[in-house]
């Protein structure tokens, strides 16, 4: 009840504060209330800033400045264009977080920075969505409408629904240049696509040919090799197949053996296959030339049971046939198998296609014509059994090729298609990486890059769709010729590739030696592979092939950042196409972030119900809504139950995903990044970063209160002068040294794409050094009541100045990762735009990136504070063992074994007392003798420092007996013995090294000296612990 009452009170206060906020007109600078929110509310903190940043032109890049800066002085990155049909998931959110962090960082460094947004027309996905919509709403197919009317519908759909992604990008805080937003089918990109196609054709590397390609019967379209997913299945697996209705599922992974009768004899040859229906297209049986079992049959034929008139020769082939496998005889179906296709070419066999584009058997399938391919498989088996030709059937594990788009089972088919010979451009792409002109990070992806590009095959670029870039190729004929077979070899030269229909007509007239008006042109109905236009994205978006200001100012790009799963779908094609068309690399660096999976390591997938929309994290989502989402999908009941159970386990207490805001989502995702590893994302951990944002908010809120009427002066703004003056304390020097280190660390992390490490450094500085140490130490000075004491006021002002500087620098360091909360807090720092800050940038996003101040480097101050904080930790441990409440102050003695430790503690005695809740502290130096009398407990902090706690009277609040209380000696002895047990093996190991001849001979002297130092340290700590144990026993 108490918990519920507190939650209700918090909600009421939040609602009251929200009601006090002043609405800001769209695009204007946010109107902030004087009073800062008492609790971090991301929806209020993040409101209005994005619209103001956009309206202020901060995202818009200047091409002239980009050109003047040159490649090394600018930063250019294009967004991996998401499909216009979809919405962003958390993988996209990670991409956006990384890319925007880098863009904001480079912008703050003063570099012209372009982050170019765009979406992909997604040929297959978009056409499929609109076709389903047409059927559902009007009961029509695209063929009912016709091509032009259907495309009008697609454009209407794109305008109505294609903006969701842009909304999400804005909500994430991405600082993209919306004035340059691209769509892969806009006029600029379309012009580049036509030009690229024509140039490839003119170079002789793009051609039309009948070849074996991957065919999706569901899509009725070709797909490229890398769009085929190969799935391992167990023998005898039952699967549902698109376009098949006769059975719910069909069996795969079965090896069926059947016999071909040898013509003119009583002999037979037994062959086996996992695709029995393809035997209807067999045009040979192959055996190994050295196989003694079949030498007498060389040159003979077998009888096809369903095609009595078809000659099926027995051929010899030592490439395809392994005589030690199976029967040593292989059926050859050149038109439906890649290996058989090559065999067919070697032996000049007929190529008989047995399927229609939708996967039904055609007229070549004898009595099975009209059946769907897997229905035919069942029927062929039954007929073979009737004929007495079936010889066996058994399970065989296999790889099944699936279309990554439709999940249909791929059918190798011979079709006339357009191909690009990538041999030369692939070789150039390999060389670019080998020669380090193109850097792929993490480097271990280079191996896969080489593997794929060194074994590249011609790229099938045509797709049998309506939505997409229509192929700029025209079949030319004369009006007098009537209709010709466009796929006939004799008319191959009639295909004219041109930049326009007029150009095609002129070329055709020249070819056919006639007047242009006598030419009949039929444009190829196919469209180009979506990846063809995406491959041009780094330069088509800049205006290529024209020499535009953007091409001059922003090409080549600086970096390509994306998920490792599209290294070859997209990255390799961009590199190849850019080298072939511009003779330049499209970018110099490729950074591949890890795949985002769910907390159990499963791929984020709608079919598993584990996809989280970034907006559900930003704005929150009720548990009910999360469950309704999976219930409304097409998941099996088992998966629905599991997804709901997972949601309930994770979010029952918070009644769903709480409102986290974009900042928490961004930093939470970046905290997960470890190069090269998959991210098993627990959404609760991301939600946890809302608490870090709250920590920043509360810490800054406290600091802003402590700054009072403080105004920064010129010395402080310049940096080095901050440490001048007698009022500077060791803690000031220490925190500025830590701040300087943080500046260096974050800058290095961003340069090396180590975002997870950057988050650790930022958290470590803000929570560990700034809040938990410096602010606690500065509180007495900041809140001094001695307003008539000049020294106290000077101390207060110095502490405020350091506090202001630390906060200003920290907010600028954090801004690229968390843009909203940093802008809100940076704007609230006193003195913004006044005095020495007059004329400064109006937003933190265009403020200068912090650079290290040499005068702040102070190893001595850091070492001294390390000693003090070690002693503080020891004192707190002793107080904890004694169960002392915070308001009870306790006396300590600190025994120092070195002058340096004594000096550090004496210089910061007040700081030790503040952090340790100490009443009085006695510091003794080296040679002071034994342990102090009356000690109630001891903590050995290091070989240089021991802390002793003296008894505290029970009347003062300590638990225990009436005559006072201290640390339980049994507890102390247990801890000390544990320390002895820890140190003993370390000492033994080091002592063993010192007498090892190999170690002494081979290990560098510097490393040996370090080990000797460790041994001395451990030995002293071990000795001190034993002495203390003796004194306590």
């Amino acid at each position: 009840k108490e918990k519920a009452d507190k939650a209700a009170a918090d909600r009421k206060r939040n609602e009251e504060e929200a009601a006090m906020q002043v609405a800001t007109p769209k695009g204007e600078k946010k109107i902030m209330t004087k009073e800062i929110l008492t609790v971090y509310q991301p929806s209020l903190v993040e409101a209005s800033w994005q619209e103001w940043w956009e309206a202020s032109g901060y995202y818009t890049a200047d091409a002239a400045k980009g050109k003047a800066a040159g490649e090394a002085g600018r930063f250019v990155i294009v967004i991996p264009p998401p499909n216009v049909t979809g919405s962003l998931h958390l993988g996209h959110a990670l991409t956006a977080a990384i890319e925007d962090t880098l863009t904001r960082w480079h912008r703050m460094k003063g570099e012209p920075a372009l982050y170019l947004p765009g979406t992909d027309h997604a040929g297959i996905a978009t056409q499929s969505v609109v076709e389903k919509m047409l059927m559902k709403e009007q009961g029509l197919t695209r063929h009912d409408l016709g091509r032009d009317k259907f495309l009008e519908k697609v454009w209407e759909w794109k305008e109505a629904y294609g903006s969701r992604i842009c909304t999400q990008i804005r909500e994430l805080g991405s600082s993209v240049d919306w004035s340059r937003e691209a769509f892969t089918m806009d006029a600029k990109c379309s012009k580049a696509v036509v030009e690229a196609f024509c140039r490839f054709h003119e170079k002789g590397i793009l051609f039309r040919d009948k070849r074996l390609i991957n065919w999706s019967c569901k899509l009725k379209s070709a797909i490229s090799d890398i769009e085929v997913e190969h799935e391992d299945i167990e023998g005898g697996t039952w699967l549902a197949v698109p376009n098949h209705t006769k059975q719910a599922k069909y069996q795969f992974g079965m090896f069926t053996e059947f016999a071909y009768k040898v013509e003119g004899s009583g002999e037979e040859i037994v062959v086996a296959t996992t695709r029995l229906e393809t035997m209807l297209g067999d045009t040979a049986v192959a055996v190994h030339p050295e196989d003694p079992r079949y030498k007498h049959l060389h040159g003979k034929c077998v009888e096809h049971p369903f095609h009595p008139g078809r000659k099926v020769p027995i051929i010899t082939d030592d490439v395809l046939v392994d005589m030690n496998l199976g029967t040593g005889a292989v059926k050859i179906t050149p038109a439906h198998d890649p290996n058989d296709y090559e065999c067919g070419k070697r032996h000049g066999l007929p190529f008989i296609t047995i399927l229609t584009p939708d996967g039904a058997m055609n007229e070549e399938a004898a009595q099975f014509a009209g059946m769907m391919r897997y229905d035919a498989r069942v029927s062929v088996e039954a007929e073979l059994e009737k004929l007495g030709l079936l010889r066996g059937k058994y399970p065989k594990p296999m790889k099944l090729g699936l279309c990554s788009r439709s999940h249909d089972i791929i059918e190798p088919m011979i079709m006339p298609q357009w191909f690009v010979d990538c041999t030369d451009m692939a070789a150039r792409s390999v060389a670019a990486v080998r020669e380090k002109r193109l850097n792929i990070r993490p480097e271990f992806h280079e191996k896969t890059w080489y593997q794929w590009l060194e074994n590249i095959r011609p790229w099938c670029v045509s797709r049998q769709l309506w939505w997409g870039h229509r192929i700029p190729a025209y079949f030319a004929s004369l009006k007098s010729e009537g209709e010709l077979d466009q796929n006939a070899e004799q008319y191959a030269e009639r295909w004219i590739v041109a930049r326009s229909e007029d150009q095609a007509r002129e070329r055709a007239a020249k070819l056919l030696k006639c007047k242009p008006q006598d030419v009949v042109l039929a444009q190829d109905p196919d469209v180009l592979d979506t990846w063809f236009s995406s491959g041009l994205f780094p330069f088509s978006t800049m205006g290529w092939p024209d020499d535009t200001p953007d091409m001059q100012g922003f090409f080549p790009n600086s970096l390509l950042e994306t998920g490792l799963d599209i290294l070859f779908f997209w990255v390799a094609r961009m590199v190849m196409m850019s080298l072939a068309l511009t003779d330049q690399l499209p970018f110099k660096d490729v950074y591949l972030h890890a795949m985002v999976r769910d907390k159990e390591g499963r791929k984020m997938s709608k079919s598993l119900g584990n996809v989280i929309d970034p907006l559900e994290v930003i704005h929150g989502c009720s548990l009910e809504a999360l469950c309704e989402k999976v219930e409304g999908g097409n998941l099996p009941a088992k998966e629905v139950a599991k997804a709901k159970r997972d949601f309930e386990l994770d979010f029952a207490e918070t009644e769903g995903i709480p409102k986290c805001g974009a900042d928490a989502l961004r930093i939470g995702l970046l905290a997960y990044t470890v190069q090269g590893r998959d991210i098993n994302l627990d959404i609760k951990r991301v939600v946890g970063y809302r608490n870090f944002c709250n920590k920043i908010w509360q810490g800054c809120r406290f600091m802003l209160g402590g700054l009072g009427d403080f105004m920064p002066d010129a010395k402080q703004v310049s940096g080095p002068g901050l440490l001048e003056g007698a009022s500077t304390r060791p803690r000031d020097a220490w925190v500025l040294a830590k701040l300087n280190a943080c500046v260096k660390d974050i800058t290095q992390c961003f340069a090396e794409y180590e975002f997870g490490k950057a988050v650790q450094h930022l958290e470590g500085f803000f929570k560990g050094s700034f809040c938990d140490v410096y602010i606690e130490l500065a509180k007495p000075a900041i809140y001094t009541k001695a307003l008539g004491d000049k020294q106290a006021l000077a101390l207060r002002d110095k502490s405020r100045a350091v506090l202001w500087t630390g906060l200003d620098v920290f907010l600028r360091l954090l801004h690229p990762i968390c843009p909203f909360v940093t802008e809100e807090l940076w704007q609230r720092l006193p003195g913004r735009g006044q005095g020495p800050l007059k004329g400064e940038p109006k937003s933190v996003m265009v403020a200068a990136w912090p650079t290290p101040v040499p005068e702040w480097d102070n190893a001595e101050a850091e070492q001294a504070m390390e000693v003090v904080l070690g002693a503080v930790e020891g004192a707190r441990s002793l107080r904890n063992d004694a169960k002392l409440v915070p308001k009870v102050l306790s006396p300590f003695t600190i025994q120092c074994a070195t002058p340096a430790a004594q000096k550090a503690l004496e210089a910061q005695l007040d700081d030790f007392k503040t952090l340790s809740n100490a009443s009085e502290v006695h510091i003794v130096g080296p040679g002071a003798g034994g342990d102090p009398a009356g000690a109630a407990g001891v903590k050995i902090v290091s070989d240089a420092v021991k802390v002793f706690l003296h008894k505290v009277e029970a009347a003062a609040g300590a638990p225990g007996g009436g005559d006072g209380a201290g640390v339980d000696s049994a507890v102390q002895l247990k801890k000390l013995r544990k320390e002895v047990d820890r140190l003993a093996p370390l000492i033994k190991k080091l002592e063993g090294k010192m007498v090892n001849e190999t170690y002494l001979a081979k290990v560098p002297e510097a490393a040996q000296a370090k080990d000797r130092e460790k041994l001395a340290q451990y030995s002293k700590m071990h000795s001190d612990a034993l002495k203390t144990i003796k004194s306590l026993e």
Side-chain angles (χ1 to χ4, degrees), residues 740-792:
N740 228 24
C742 191
V743 169
K744 295 172 188 175
D745 288 337
I746 302 305
T747 303
Q748 184 178 353
C749 285
F750 284 172
E752 295 177 0
Y753 311 121
E754 292 184 319
F755 306 100
K757 195 180 283 187
V759 172
Q760 290 172 0
H761 285 306
L762 288 164
E763 280 191 278
F765 172 76
F766 188 78
K767 291 201 292 191
S769 302
F770 206 40
C771 291
D772 293 350
V773 178
Y774 184 76
I775 291 175
E776 293 301 318
L777 294 178
K779 273 182 184 177
I782 289 171
Y783 292 105
T784 181
K785 293 181 181 178
L787 300 181
D789 186 331
K790 287 185 179 179
Q791 187 177 354

Side-chain angles (χ1 to χ4, degrees), residues 587-645:
F587 29 74
K588 298 296 188 295
D589 286 300
V590 175
Y591 173 68
L592 302 168
H593 68 249
M595 287 286 290
V596 178
R597 301 182 179 277
D598 71 9
K599 64 181 180 181
E600 295 174 18
R602 300 178 303 171
K603 187 176 180 180
M604 294 280 191
S605 165
K606 288 180 182 177
S607 64
L608 293 174
N610 60 358
V611 173
I612 299 288
D613 183 332
L615 299 189
E616 292 173 341
V617 180
I618 293 172
H619 300 303
C621 186
S622 70
L623 183 58
E624 184 182 6
L626 288 170
C627 292
E628 282 177 359
K629 185 173 72 168
V630 294
E631 287 171 351
N634 297 315
L635 295 179
K638 186 179 176 183
E639 290 296 340
V640 169
K642 185 181 187 315
K644 289 174 67 176
R645 188 167 60 251

Side-chain angles (χ1 to χ4, degrees), residues 827-896:
Q827 294 287 352
R828 288 183 177 276
L829 274 176
R832 283 272 82 98
Q834 303 171 46
L837 299 178
K838 194 172 184 179
E840 72 171 350
K842 293 182 179 179
S843 168
V844 67
M845 74 170 289
V846 286
W849 178 252
T851 53
V853 179
E855 291 83 354
W856 291 357
D857 284 336
N858 194 327
E860 186 180 338
E862 290 190 74
Q863 289 164 5
M865 183 61 85
E866 191 177 335
V867 171
V868 174
L869 293 178
V872 168
E873 186 180 349
R876 286 176 172 175
S877 176
L878 289 168
R879 284 178 57 86
N880 183 62
D881 291 344
K883 297 181 174 58
L884 294 172
V885 294
K887 68 178 181 180
V888 176
L889 303 182
S890 49
F892 292 98
T893 294
I894 305 176
Q895 200 173 77
C896 301

Side-chain angles (χ1 to χ4, degrees), residues 53 69 73 156 179 187 269 347 361 372 438 445 582 585 643 751 886 889 992:
W53 289 330
E156 286 173 13
S179 69
I269 289 185
H347 295 276
M361 309 308 290
M372 297 308 292
L438 176 65
H445 289 300
T582 72
L585 287 166
L889 303 182

Side-chain angles (χ1 to χ4, degrees), residues 344-449:
K345 288 201 297 183
R346 285 194 295 274
H347 295 276
L349 298 174
F351 288 72
I352 299 175
T353 298
I354 59 171
L355 291 171
T356 62
D358 63 353
M361 309 308 290
N362 65 16
E363 66 280 359
E364 295 287 353
Q367 67 262 44
F368 308 101
M371 295 182 184
M372 297 308 292
R373 53 186 163 153
Y374 298 118
D375 292 326
R377 177 180 294 183
V378 175
S379 295
V380 168
E381 182 182 331
E383 287 300 313
L384 286 172
E385 189 164 21
K386 282 182 190 177
L387 294 170
L389 297 174
L390 201 63
R391 294 292 177 266
K393 183 178 179 182
Y394 52 90
K396 179 179 172 60
M398 63 179 290
K399 280 187 181 293
L400 201 60
L402 300 175
C403 171
S404 63
R405 303 288 187 179
S406 66
H407 303 293
D408 189 15
I409 296 165
I410 290 300
E411 193 66 49
M413 296 263 273
I414 291 178
M415 294 275 201
Q417 302 287 335
W418 291 91
F419 296 88
V420 176
D421 181 353
C422 301
T423 307
D424 180 64
M425 57 179 95
R428 293 182 68 185
S429 301
V430 166
V433 174
R434 288 200 190 282
E435 295 164 10
K436 298 300 179 186
R437 289 180 288 115
L438 176 65
N439 301 301
I440 298 176
R441 302 188 188 195
E443 284 189 6
F444 60 76
H445 289 300
E446 289 181 4
K447 183 180 177 183
T448 320
W449 179 268

Side-chain angles (χ1 to χ4, degrees), residues 6-21 36-45 658-659 690 694 697-698 701:
K6 184 180 184 305
D10 288 344
R11 279 196 299 271
K12 185 179 178 183
R13 184 188 63 239
N14 293 348
E15 288 166 5
E16 288 171 355
E17 290 191 344
M20 292 166 59
Q21 304 306 304
I36 187 170
L37 293 167
T38 56
V39 175
Y40 173 66
Q41 297 190 54
S43 58
L44 299 179
V45 171
K659 292 179 182 177
R690 184 191 189 284
N694 183 57
W697 185 263
Q698 296 300 345
R701 177 171 166 265

